[in-house]
Amino acid sequence: MTVPIRNHDIAELKRLDLAHHLPAQTDYKLQQTLGGSRIITRADGVYIHDGEGHQILDGMAGLWCVNVGYGRQELAQAAYDQMLELPYYNTFFKTASPPPIRLAAKIAEKMGGHLTHVFFNSSGSEANDTVFRLARHYWKLKGQPQRTVFISRWNAYHGSTVAGVSLGGMKYMHEQGDLPIPGVEHVMQPYSFNEGFGEDPAAFCARAVKAIEDRIVAVGPENVAAFIGEPVQGAGGVIIPPDGYWPAVEALCRKYGILLVCDEVICGYGRLGQWFGHQHYGIKPDMIAMAKGLSSGYLPISAVGVADFIVDELKDKGGDFVHGFTYSGHPTCCAVALKNIEIMEREGLVERTRQDTGPYLAKALATLNDLPLVGETRSLGLIGAVEIVREKGTNLRFLDKEGEAGPVVRDICIRNGLMVRAIRDSLVCCPPLIITHAEIDALVAILRKSLIEAEPVLRALKPEAKA
């Protein structure tokens, strides 16, 4: 079936965008200066198209989420069929519908082990809110209501709700809303390029793990509910922990009897070459948050995987878990997610990422290491980053300040036809899992071209004169 291309009035859309629309995580003053947002009008495969006629290779899979790529008619058909049969019903009132039940069973199959149950939400932020409330409720049922504290990491991202921002460790987000809320403690992240440059990897790993244990002891293990972390920090800058980090963190959680929570919102559904990121590291969390790749972003849905012993406590003690959302277990979203998983299974996208395209991306990114601006390339599966530095062989930044170079290179990349994200001075990419070798080559070629073009611009940067 050919999808017709609509003739949008882009000038009018930009006018309406400025007059009425507040885009997410946007500098509204800058949006005004730029004359409105870039209007994305259509997409196919790994490419997006804007209203000015530019084709852009989507190196970010939307927002870390379009794992099966754009233009999947099967997903549209699944939504259409479900909407005709039962477009919506809730999971309150002791009811459920077929799609969330089937999807919960399918997710439990993929999680394996003691992660046997699933609670549905609409976004990754909501999933982490559910984790936050469920963990505290579990410990209260266990007769340990003082166990309320979550240990998280600086520079972690766990969503934009009040609980999500609090669990996250991004200080600039904390500044908006007088956050974090009480009961969240933060420790160093395992970001060796920034916080352990030149340090022995094993020593850095031990130091990062010790920081967690020191905080647990300082707070009092009897007060700690859980440790939460992304297997690989995505929005933090594709922070890949050193070997041994996650098994050591799991051992800490078992030693002190606290819950281990993995935020799989980005790492889940094949991104690291396994169905879930924690499986790559060989650990067994007690709860996992998931979203994004669950439906490949085609419809908003998220979920929390919950261990059997937590569910047993809920069933044994009885009483309502008074938590949930209007769209928890939305049948149409669940039907699309089921079809999305079916596509991933049929096309072997997880295995392909692990055995083929992930290693190919790593080798391709490594070819950029000859450039003067590149301090490091790193990747795992189909998520990667390029560190931009002022001097080769160092981690020194332009103007001695993080975040000056990244946005400059990012904007050049987009102008050259590649959508990437700048996180401080890391250029990060996270392409759809359907990406081919040729498309990876194109992605890296644009990165190279853009880094070369950016160098004289960055070398010319001068500190702003102080008033």
Side-chain angles (χ1 to χ4, degrees):
M1 183 179 73
T2 302
V3 179
I5 298 175
R6 304 180 199 176
N7 292 316
H8 296 282
D9 185 337
I10 301 303
E12 175 66 0
L13 287 170
K14 284 181 173 284
R15 186 190 71 79
L16 293 172
D17 182 51
L18 290 172
H20 303 291
H21 181 216
L22 293 175
Q25 298 208 13
T26 294
D27 179 334
Y28 299 122
K29 182 178 181 180
L30 179 60
Q31 183 201 21
Q32 198 77 28
T33 302
L34 295 174
S37 306
R38 178 187 295 270
I39 311 298
I40 305 301
T41 56
R42 62 188 180 90
D44 53 84
V46 300
Y47 291 95
I48 55 175
H49 302 259
D50 70 16
E52 278 77 38
H54 301 110
Q55 175 177 278
I56 303 169
L57 199 167
D58 188 7
M60 285 305 301
L63 198 59
W64 322 84
C65 59
V66 188
N67 289 10
V68 300
Y70 297 98
R72 293 284 192 163
Q73 293 184 21
E74 285 180 88
L75 297 184
Q77 189 66 48
Y80 177 80
D81 292 343
Q82 184 59 46
M83 282 187 175
L84 289 180
E85 182 178 293
L86 179 68
Y88 166 76
Y89 203 69
N90 63 73
T91 57
F92 291 52
F93 317 137
K94 301 181 179 64
T95 65
S97 60
I101 295 171
R102 293 196 178 103
L103 181 59
K106 174 57 74 172
I107 293 171
E109 171 194 315
K110 296 301 182 189
M111 292 187 297
H114 69 180
L115 292 164
T116 55
H117 286 70
V118 178
F119 189 102
F120 289 111
N121 326 267
S122 296
S123 69
S125 298
E126 288 179 6
N128 281 318
D129 270 39
T130 297
V131 163
F132 190 75
R133 289 197 61 195
L134 182 54
R136 287 181 161 188
H137 182 55
Y138 165 75
W139 286 116
K140 189 171 184 179
L141 292 177
K142 289 283 289 182
Q144 301 179 57
Q146 80 284 354
R147 280 190 181 262
T148 60
V149 175
F150 270 71
I151 308 291
S152 183
R153 301 177 294 195
W154 291 117
N155 197 37
Y157 183 79
H158 297 297
S160 288
T161 56
V162 168
V165 171
S166 296
L167 288 170
M170 296 186 171
K171 294 180 181 179
Y172 65 91
M173 296 186 77
H174 291 168
E175 290 169 1
Q176 297 179 351
D178 194 25
L179 300 172
I181 57 177
V184 182
E185 300 281 331
H186 295 92
V187 300
M188 68 175 286
Q189 60 183 328
Y191 185 8
S192 59
F193 190 83
N194 239 32
E195 300 182 27
F197 191 79
E199 188 174 350
D200 175 74
F204 176 73
C205 178
R207 183 159 65 87
V209 173
K210 185 175 185 297
I212 300 171
E213 183 165 27
D214 288 348
R215 189 57 55 90
I216 292 171
V217 171
V219 171
E222 71 281 2
N223 298 315
V224 179
F227 174 84
I228 184 171
E230 299 169 85
V232 169
Q233 288 167 246
V238 184
I239 309 304
I240 302 171
D243 291 343
Y245 175 83
W246 273 113
V249 171
E250 181 183 30
L252 272 186
C253 291
R254 304 311 171 215
K255 175 181 177 179
Y256 291 106
I258 68 178
L259 299 177
L260 174 60
V261 180
C262 283
D263 181 341
E264 296 272 8
V265 170
I266 288 174
C267 295
Y269 295 94
R271 183 55 56 189
L272 304 189
Q274 299 285 351
W275 280 97
F276 294 100
H278 72 267
Q279 294 166 343
H280 170 81
Y281 290 105
I283 61 172
K284 297 179 180 179
D286 304 310
M287 282 194 277
I288 64 175
M290 64 191 84
K292 294 189 183 293
L294 174 54
S295 71
S296 285
Y298 276 61
L299 282 178
I301 184 171
S302 68
V304 176
V306 186
D308 50 11
F309 68 88
I310 295 175
V311 176
D312 288 346
E313 198 68 26
L314 296 172
K315 292 179 177 179
D316 181 59
K317 296 299 193 305
D320 287 349
F321 177 44
V322 285
H323 174 76
F325 305 95
T326 300
Y327 303 119
S328 291
H330 191 292
T332 303
C333 297
C334 290
V336 169
L338 273 165
K339 182 59 69 173
N340 176 68
I341 293 172
E342 179 187 316
I343 291 170
M344 293 184 69
E345 290 176 328
R346 186 177 70 231
E347 297 183 5
L349 293 180
V350 177
E351 296 79 8
R352 181 169 173 262
T353 298
R354 180 172 67 252
Q355 299 166 5
D356 179 17
T357 48
Y360 191 86
L361 176 65
K363 290 179 182 177
L365 287 175
T367 65
L368 301 174
N369 283 315
D370 66 313
L371 295 176
L373 293 183
V374 176
E376 175 183 83
T377 61
R378 57 180 180 266
S379 68
L380 180 57
L382 283 174
I383 185 169
V386 177
E387 288 276 2
I388 303 168
V389 295
R390 189 180 78 224
E391 295 180 22
K392 195 75 175 172
T394 75
N395 66 351
L396 298 175
R397 307 299 185 176
F398 281 88
L399 302 183
D400 295 320
K401 186 169 62 173
E402 279 196 284
E404 294 294 314
V408 172
V409 185
R410 173 204 62 203
D411 290 348
I412 295 173
C413 284
I414 296 171
R415 189 173 70 225
N416 286 334
L418 171 66
M419 183 62 70
V420 290
R421 186 171 178 180
I423 299 174
R424 299 177 311 281
D425 289 321
S426 295
L427 282 182
V428 303
C429 64
C430 180
L433 303 188
I434 62 164
I435 195 167
T436 64
H437 287 198
E439 290 161 346
I440 291 172
D441 290 341
L443 184 156
V444 174
I446 296 173
L447 282 175
R448 173 174 287 275
K449 179 175 188 287
S450 302
L451 285 160
I452 292 170
E453 289 179 14
E455 186 174 2
V457 178
L458 294 174
R459 300 288 181 207
L461 287 177
K462 303 295 181 186
E464 293 182 11
K466 293 183 180 180

